[in-house]
Amino acid sequence: MIKIIDEPNTNRLPPLDVKFLAGKRHLREDEIEILRKTNINDDDSWQNVYVDERGFDPNLFRGNEIRGFLVIGHLRKVDLRYHDLCLCAGVYCSNLENIVLGDDVCIREVKYFSNYHVDSRVILFCISEISCTCHSKFGNGILKEGEPESNRIWIGVGNENDARSILPFEDMITADAFLWSRYREDSKLMERFLEITEKPFSKKNDTFGFIGSNTVIKNTTLIKDAKIGENAYIKGAFKIKNVTILSSEDEPSQVGEGVELVNGIVGYRSRIFYQAVAVRFVIGRNCQLKYGARLLNSVLGDNSTVSCCEILNNLIFPFHEQHHNSSFLIASTVCGQSNIASGATVGSNHNSRSPDGELFAGRGFWPGLCSDFKHNCYFASFVLVAKGSYQNELNIRYPFSLVASNGARRAVSIIPSYWFLYNMYAIARNNMKFKKRDKRLIKVQNIETNPLAPDTIQEVVYGIERLIELTSQYLIERGYEKIIGALTEREKLQVAKDYLHQNPNADFKLQDMECQRKYGATILKPLKAYKEYRKIVKYFAVSVLMEYCKANSISSLSMQDMKEISELPLFTKWVNVGGQIIPEEKVYELFDKVKDGTIDSWQEIHSFYDECQKKYLDYKAAYSVHLLELLYSKKICEFSCCIFADIKNDVTLVSNEMYDSALDSRKKDYEDFFRKITFKSDDEMKCVLGTLADNEFLQDLKLKTEEFDSQLKSLFSGICGKLETPHN
């Protein structure tokens, strides 16, 4: 119902702050006379208008209606150009209520413009409404004076039942969202997260909307309760309501045609176009949302691209790719570097009596075309899932594996370490690919892009131990003489381990009933996977030690160096915190500091992340020594020169295998018969695909492999002198 108000409602909008009046003056009589000819003001005296002392041209202010106060910066006859749009500065044909304008602005045909502060050199052209209520939160999950708790905006990530809900705030990164959503059992921590989120915000009902300098907004329907940074570009948007759009000269953000943004935060250098919709959201830095994508109740990490699809109740870490129209993602935590294929249905509530299911996937989650998963599911890092319908809950703890369906009511098949066995090109390219895609200038969220990092290696260690355990069961079932004679569980596991080492040509399969509800999984090629996993661990450990030497200007490790590394803090459990790999103990240390008040802001929490990142190499180095000790079942100080030579030789072979396998993987794309059938000649194929010799990644990998092998030769020479390298 429309109400008739006889007098202005002075409580509806905040009063004019005196800080806006510095360098301003009232209008002169001659200026008022000019303005009255073409403008309407509800204050006949025009004392509600303040102009800049440096200059005000009243001829640039025409066809407007003024209510409340109006403060105008330096206004002169200059043109403002943005691409092909060129308009003269001034205010024309607009309805203005309680507005503060900066210098050299162009305001044209803003039919309702209320309670905003506009910075300098801004173009606002052909807009139905720009308004701000005095209690606006700009997408932050806070409350103003007198508001009930029911007004607070939460984001229900990870689960549809809202039991993992988090409060959005302007500085949020995926690490914050992860910690808030995943450690729900700590009620004190949850209370403190809410407290420190609200702390920096004023509760007063005195809010102005804001539009930063050099921003252009045109042909847009509704902007309400929005804070828009500098150098933003908004064209043809449908609705932007209760939103912060972070934007700067170096990292400008854009919003395009038909877009709806409600209750959320848009990160720096993000681009949102073509009927995309986001409601209750946080979008990270350098993200794209386009082509009708729907992002609802979700947090999207930095450097992600989402097109066409639906994302509902999700926490997604950086470097997520989801491009296809028929795919959607629901009630999941996906740890980034992921790619959701067309037709993939990730998440379903049909196997529960309430919408409380969820899915968790580590880094590098790649479900295949038309694959679907029921809640609850868990996937280790870099799991590739073949197309198919997976009608039972999955618990895939083998990293770098391939999972394939064999139909309903049957065991799934798993090839652990598949990427290293059969698609080395893709896994080796990952690190370089993600680094090139990272266009952030300010990197608040630390992101580990190397597939071989402590989070994945701890999963590899689990995979090794699980394969030994399953091999032990396999040998017992078949009456293997040595294992029957073993008395303790430890002895049985040692027999299984010896079997894996001493039977290089053994061909068998294993059954793991923990991988799928009811039907379990068949583990294919377990012997190859076991050997590959061990190679991966050795390669990781040695590559980290080489990185440590380079960072500390050590030409060759000595026993004293190894002793010093062994004395560094050792952490064996790691957590992927929004893309950054942090020891689990450090996470709990952070929690203690937050709860006792030592850390009292999100900025201080971010500083804690940064401190962990500074010590990350030391943490990895200590972990690497621990891994080598685990593989050889003795302390590093007890390693003989033969063991160090064995490590060096094995890692040299792995290094060369990685390059050769990557080359072979890519070579198939040029030599395979079926790749050639659509080309009439080799010359046409070369023009379309290029040549293998032109592959930038392979060229770079070859140089890095040669450099790695060269550095590896001297890594342990300080301990044992010159070590022999196997001939190729």
Side-chain angles (χ1 to χ4, degrees), residues 65 83 85 112 141 185 253 277 320 335 389 420-421 506 526 536 547 550 557 579 602 644 695 705:
E65 183 176 344
H83 297 318
L85 178 66
Y112 183 68
E185 69 281 5
S253 293
V277 176
H320 178 78
C335 293
S389 180
F420 292 94
L421 290 169
I536 292 168
E547 184 184 357
K550 185 175 182 180
L557 286 170
W602 284 108
F644 283 115
N695 188 289
T705 301

Side-chain angles (χ1 to χ4, degrees), residues 154-171:
W154 293 85
I155 302 180
V157 299
N159 198 303
E160 280 188 285
N161 68 359
D162 290 334
R164 296 191 185 276
S165 291
I166 60 175
L167 293 178
F169 55 92
E170 188 173 311
D171 297 325

Side-chain angles (χ1 to χ4, degrees), residues 55-71:
F56 169 70
D57 185 346
N59 295 302
L60 301 178
F61 193 93
R62 300 195 303 270
N64 304 297
E65 183 176 344
I66 305 168
R67 301 179 67 190
F69 59 79
L70 174 63
V71 180

Side-chain angles (χ1 to χ4, degrees), residues 355-419:
D356 58 1
E358 57 185 61
L359 178 147
F360 188 97
R363 287 198 287 149
F365 179 54
W366 277 35
L369 296 167
C370 302
S371 54
D372 68 89
F373 308 97
K374 306 293 184 186
H375 288 137
N376 288 2
C377 286
Y378 183 98
F379 297 92
S381 300
F382 293 95
V383 170
L384 174 64
V385 186
K387 64 179 294 186
S389 180
Y390 297 84
Q391 298 181 18
N392 298 283
E393 295 92 324
L394 297 174
N395 178 34
I396 311 300
R397 299 280 174 167
Y398 299 94
F400 304 104
S401 62
L402 171 67
V403 180
S405 172
N406 294 304
R409 296 184 293 280
R410 297 184 68 181
V412 297
S413 295
I414 301 175
I415 303 179
S417 193
Y418 168 85
W419 289 97

Side-chain angles (χ1 to χ4, degrees), residues 22-25 50-56 72-75 103:
K24 302 297 187 292
R25 62 174 175 81
Y50 303 84
V51 297
D52 200 285
E53 293 175 346
R54 292 171 296 170
F56 169 70
I72 305 175
H74 192 194
L75 191 61
D103 300 336

Side-chain angles (χ1 to χ4, degrees), residues 363 378 380-383 396-401 416-420 427 451-468 526 528-541 572 574 623 627 630-631:
R363 287 198 287 149
Y378 183 98
S381 300
F382 293 95
V383 170
I396 311 300
R397 299 280 174 167
Y398 299 94
F400 304 104
S401 62
S417 193
Y418 168 85
W419 289 97
F420 292 94
I427 203 69
L452 299 184
D455 64 322
T456 55
I457 294 301
Q458 72 180 356
E459 294 176 335
V460 169
V461 171
Y462 167 84
I464 291 172
E465 293 172 348
R466 184 63 174 162
L467 289 173
I468 293 172
K528 284 188 176 181
Y530 174 77
K531 290 181 178 179
E532 203 66 30
Y533 274 159
R534 286 181 59 89
K535 287 181 184 178
I536 292 168
V537 173
K538 280 188 189 180
Y539 181 86
F540 165 79
T572 58
W574 303 79
Y623 184 50
L627 290 170
L630 194 67
L631 288 176

Side-chain angles (χ1 to χ4, degrees), residues 234-250:
I234 300 173
K235 58 173 181 175
F238 178 66
K239 179 192 289 186
I240 299 174
K241 183 178 179 182
N242 191 31
V243 166
T244 292
I245 298 177
L246 300 170
S247 182
S248 67
E249 181 178 359
D250 294 327

